[in-house]
Amino acid sequence: MRRLLTLSVVVCLFSQGLMAQDKTAMKYGNTITPQDMKAKLSVLASDEFMGRETGTEGQKLASKFLEDFYKKIGLTGPVNGTYRQKFSMYQSDWSDVYLKVKGKKKMNGKDFIFSGNANMDKEIKLPTVYIGDGSAISGMDIKDKGVIVTGSSREVQRSLIEAGVKAIFVASANDEQFMQTLPRQAAFRMKGRLRWDKENTGNESIVFNITKEMAADLLGTTTAKLDAAATSPSSIKEKSVSFQVKEKLAEISTENMAAFLEGTDLKDEIIVISSHYDHIGQNEDGTVINNGADDDGSGTTGVMELAEAFAQAAKEGNRPRRSILFLNVTGEEKGLLGSAYYADNPIFPLENTVTNLNIDMIGRVDPEHENDRNYVYAIGSEKLSSHLKVISEYANITYTGLNLDYRFDDPADTNRFYYRSDHYNFAKKGIPIIFYFNGVHADYHRPTDTVDKIEFDVMAQRGQLVFYTAWILANRDQRVPVDRTDDMTYDR
C-alpha cells in the first residue's frame, strides 16, 4: 500500500516553497511520453547494437547513439569537451590452455573446461593420483601433485588446495551430459571477469573439468576400473600428466557517456541522473542476441527523456538552479565497473554531488504487481537523508500517483538489490540515492527481453516521477542533508 505523507511533512514542504502542481514543471514533465520512449528504445535495444556488451562493437554503437543525441539536444560534453569518459580494463583469455592425453593436445573449451586461475611460462609434467570422490584423502600422498576426483564439491576442492594439491582434475558423472553442456560452459569460462589491474592478483588455482573417459586415459586405465576403484582409489596407479595454463590478456577499452546541463545560482552543486547502457551481448556466432530492452535500455531511455526535457526547459528560460549530469555508465553487468570508475574518477567533485537518481529497469511489470501495474520500487531513498524520501513522495503524490514500493530497503532482503545497480557506488561515497526499479521477470537476462514486452505507458509514468523529483531537487533552496547512518553493510 502506498504510504501517504503526513500533514506535518506537507506543511514542511510548503514552508520550503514547494507548491503543488508547478505548471512549469508539468509542461516539461509532459514531454516524457510513451511514444518518445518507444522511438528511442526501439533503436537502443535493436539487433544492430548486438546486446551492448562492454567493450564490444555493439556497445560502441550505443555510445555513438547517445553522443549524437546529447549533441542534438544541446547539452555540453563535460569531459574535455567530449561526452566520453574513457577507461580501460583487462580480461583473461584461456584459449591457450591444454592437456596432453596419449601424447595429443586437448584444448580448453573444446575437450574440457578450465576454471582456475594461473599463468605458466611452459608446459609442466605433474605426478597425478586418483582419489575417488575425495572424501578420504587423509594419509594419501597428494602434496604437490595433481589429483583426479569424481563428483567434487567446492568444499572438497578447498580441502585439496589446503592439502597442497597443485592441480585438480574433476571427472564428470555423465560424459554425454558434460559434452552437451560444454559449449555453454565454454562461453562462460573461456574469458575471465574484467578487472582493473593488468596483473592477475587472484589466488592461483588449477582446476580442469574433464570427462570420465579422459580421466581414465590420463591414468592409463578404463572408466569401468575407475568406477570399481571409487572406494579404493589407491588401486589405480599414479601417472604423470602434462599440461599448460597460459593466460592471454586483452585490454578492453570502453567509456561512460556523460552530458551536462549547467545550472544557475547553485550551479556548483550537481545532481547525477544515471543508468547503465551496457547489457550481456550475444553468443559467439551472433545467432542469439540479448537486446536488454528492460535491462537497462528502459533506464537509459529514461535518462535520455529527462535530459531532453531539462534541455528544452533551459532553452526556454527555465534552466534549473543546480547543474545536472546525465550519466550513462558501462560495465554494470560486469560488476558495476563503470559507476565504480566514475566514483573514483569523478568529472565533478563528489562533495558537490547532491544526489544520484539511478534508473535501472522501468519498462516492465513483475509478477508481484500483476494486479497493480502503476508501481515502482523506490530503493534507498531514506538510507542517507531524512529529506530525500519525503521529496520523492511529495513529487509522486503531486504529479504521478504511483505506488512506491519500499520492500527492498530491508537490510535483510535476500535479493540484495540495493547492492546490484550503479547507485551503490554513489551511496558508498555518502551521496543520497534513489534507485528506480520494476523488479525482475521471466525475461531477465534472456534473449526474450525485447522491446515488444515493454509497457510504455507505465514506463513513461515512472520516467515522469524521476523528472519531477529531479526538478524539485534541482530548484529547492537547500541541498538534501546527509543526516542518517546507512543501515546497509556495503558488503556485496
Side-chain angles (χ1 to χ4, degrees):
M1 180 179 295
R2 185 171 73 236
R3 296 184 186 179
L4 298 179
L5 295 177
T6 64
L7 179 61
S8 61
V9 171
V10 174
V11 169
C12 174
L13 286 166
F14 270 78
S15 71
Q16 296 178 41
L18 300 178
M19 305 302 293
Q21 294 278 307
D22 181 333
K23 301 300 183 184
T24 303
M26 291 182 67
K27 174 182 177 180
Y28 302 110
N30 287 334
T31 67
I32 299 171
T33 67
Q35 294 77 18
D36 282 356
M37 286 186 149
K38 185 174 183 179
K40 292 178 175 66
L41 185 57
S42 294
V43 177
L44 192 61
S46 66
D47 286 353
E48 179 187 356
F49 289 177
M50 298 174 281
R52 310 187 304 277
E53 185 173 8
T54 300
T56 65
E57 181 185 353
Q59 180 250 300
K60 302 295 184 181
L61 289 171
S63 69
K64 182 66 165 56
F65 176 64
L66 289 165
E67 179 180 58
D68 290 346
F69 172 76
Y70 289 134
K71 283 181 180 177
K72 179 181 176 182
I73 64 174
L75 295 184
T76 301
V79 188
N80 299 319
T82 78
Y83 301 91
R84 298 171 179 270
Q85 185 185 39
K86 297 181 179 181
F87 58 96
S88 292
M89 295 175 287
Y90 299 92
Q91 185 171 48
S92 299
D93 180 327
W94 302 108
S95 57
D96 278 354
V97 176
Y98 67 82
L99 276 169
K100 278 190 174 175
V101 182
K102 296 182 177 180
K104 296 182 179 180
K105 285 184 180 181
K106 299 293 183 181
M107 301 306 298
N108 185 27
K110 180 180 178 183
D111 305 297
F112 63 89
I113 294 295
F114 174 72
S115 60
N117 178 35
N119 195 17
M120 300 174 180
D121 293 328
K122 59 184 179 180
E123 176 183 302
I124 68 167
K125 183 180 288 187
L126 194 67
T128 301
V129 297
Y130 180 54
I131 61 170
D133 65 5
S135 61
I137 61 173
S138 179
M140 295 186 71
D141 181 18
I142 58 175
K143 191 175 188 303
D144 295 327
K145 294 183 178 181
V147 297
I148 293 179
V149 59
T150 57
S152 171
S153 66
R154 288 187 180 182
E155 290 72 21
V156 168
Q157 289 188 26
R158 190 179 299 113
S159 67
L160 291 172
I161 292 170
E162 290 173 353
V165 166
K166 289 293 186 183
I168 302 169
F169 303 86
V170 182
S172 73
N174 185 315
D175 283 3
E176 182 179 358
Q177 186 178 57
F178 178 86
M179 293 306 295
Q180 286 176 348
T181 61
L182 190 144
R184 178 169 56 84
Q185 291 292 324
F188 176 67
R189 298 282 188 183
M190 291 290 283
K191 295 186 184 298
R193 288 182 67 88
L194 291 174
R195 65 179 190 258
W196 297 115
D197 299 324
K198 193 169 186 178
E199 293 299 318
N200 193 342
T201 57
N203 293 327
E204 184 170 299
S205 61
I206 300 173
V207 181
F208 297 93
N209 297 276
I210 62 177
T211 62
K212 188 181 290 184
E213 182 180 3
M214 185 180 288
D217 288 342
L218 290 172
L219 292 168
T221 186
T222 66
T223 57
K225 288 183 178 180
L226 285 184
D227 289 339
T231 57
S232 56
S234 59
S235 64
I236 304 294
K237 291 184 179 180
E238 178 181 299
K239 293 285 184 179
S240 291
V241 174
S242 296
F243 60 86
Q244 182 169 359
V245 174
K246 185 71 174 176
E247 180 193 41
K248 292 193 295 186
L249 198 62
E251 182 175 352
I252 306 297
S253 297
T254 189
E255 53 272 309
N256 294 327
M257 300 303 294
F260 185 64
L261 179 65
E262 187 176 61
T264 56
D265 60 313
L266 298 175
K267 64 182 180 181
D268 291 338
E269 295 182 3
I270 312 296
I271 294 167
V272 177
I273 300 174
S274 64
S275 72
H276 71 91
Y277 74 101
D278 66 308
H279 193 52
I280 60 175
Q282 58 187 339
N283 65 347
E284 288 191 0
D285 62 10
T287 58
V288 177
I289 298 175
N290 298 280
N291 297 107
D294 192 27
D295 184 15
D296 185 28
S298 64
T300 300
T301 298
V303 172
M304 294 171 74
E305 284 286 292
L306 267 72
E308 194 167 26
F310 273 106
Q312 182 179 337
K315 287 176 183 176
E316 295 177 358
N318 294 296
R319 184 176 294 271
R321 299 177 68 190
R322 288 180 177 83
S323 298
I324 303 177
L325 180 68
F326 301 94
L327 181 66
N328 309 112
V329 298
T330 186
E332 192 270 357
E333 301 289 7
K334 306 295 186 182
L336 313 187
L337 297 180
S339 56
Y341 184 83
Y342 181 88
D344 289 337
N345 304 273
I347 299 170
F348 300 99
L350 293 183
E351 58 267 27
N352 292 353
T353 302
V354 174
T355 317
N356 170 229
L357 303 179
N358 183 51
I359 317 173
D360 192 348
M361 298 172 59
I362 57 165
R364 295 286 295 273
V365 172
D366 71 359
E368 296 287 334
H369 294 86
E370 289 178 353
N371 299 317
D372 176 23
R373 294 173 67 254
N374 296 320
Y375 77 97
V376 69
Y377 294 107
I379 302 174
S381 61
E382 59 182 351
K383 296 300 184 185
L384 287 162
S385 177
S386 62
H387 287 210
L388 187 54
K389 182 177 181 179
V390 173
I391 292 167
S392 170
E393 290 207 355
Y394 178 86
N396 184 51
I397 289 172
T398 306
Y399 299 105
T400 50
L402 292 167
N403 176 3
L404 302 186
D405 195 321
Y406 298 109
R407 71 185 68 188
F408 297 130
D409 278 346
D410 184 353
D413 169 39
T414 57
N415 296 286
R416 296 173 67 77
F417 287 126
Y418 185 79
Y419 305 93
R420 290 170 56 181
S421 191
D422 295 295
H423 61 279
Y424 170 76
N425 285 311
F426 288 90
K428 283 200 299 183
K429 300 291 188 178
I431 296 168
I433 64 92
I434 304 177
F435 167 28
Y436 300 91
F437 179 51
N438 56 217
V440 295
H441 44 74
D443 300 309
Y444 175 70
H445 276 203
R446 296 186 63 80
T448 47
D449 180 10
T450 49
V451 174
D452 60 295
K453 305 283 185 67
I454 298 295
E455 302 191 35
F456 286 100
D457 56 343
V458 74
M459 179 177 163
Q461 277 188 289
R462 293 162 177 165
Q464 288 175 349
L465 171 61
V466 186
F467 171 81
Y468 290 122
T469 304
W471 184 275
I472 294 170
L473 291 168
N475 290 298
R476 69 197 300 261
D477 290 337
Q478 301 298 322
R479 62 187 288 175
V480 290
V482 181
D483 58 358
R484 285 189 169 167
T485 300
D486 197 338
D487 61 2
M488 307 302 271
T489 64
Y490 299 121
D491 179 11
R492 299 183 73 227

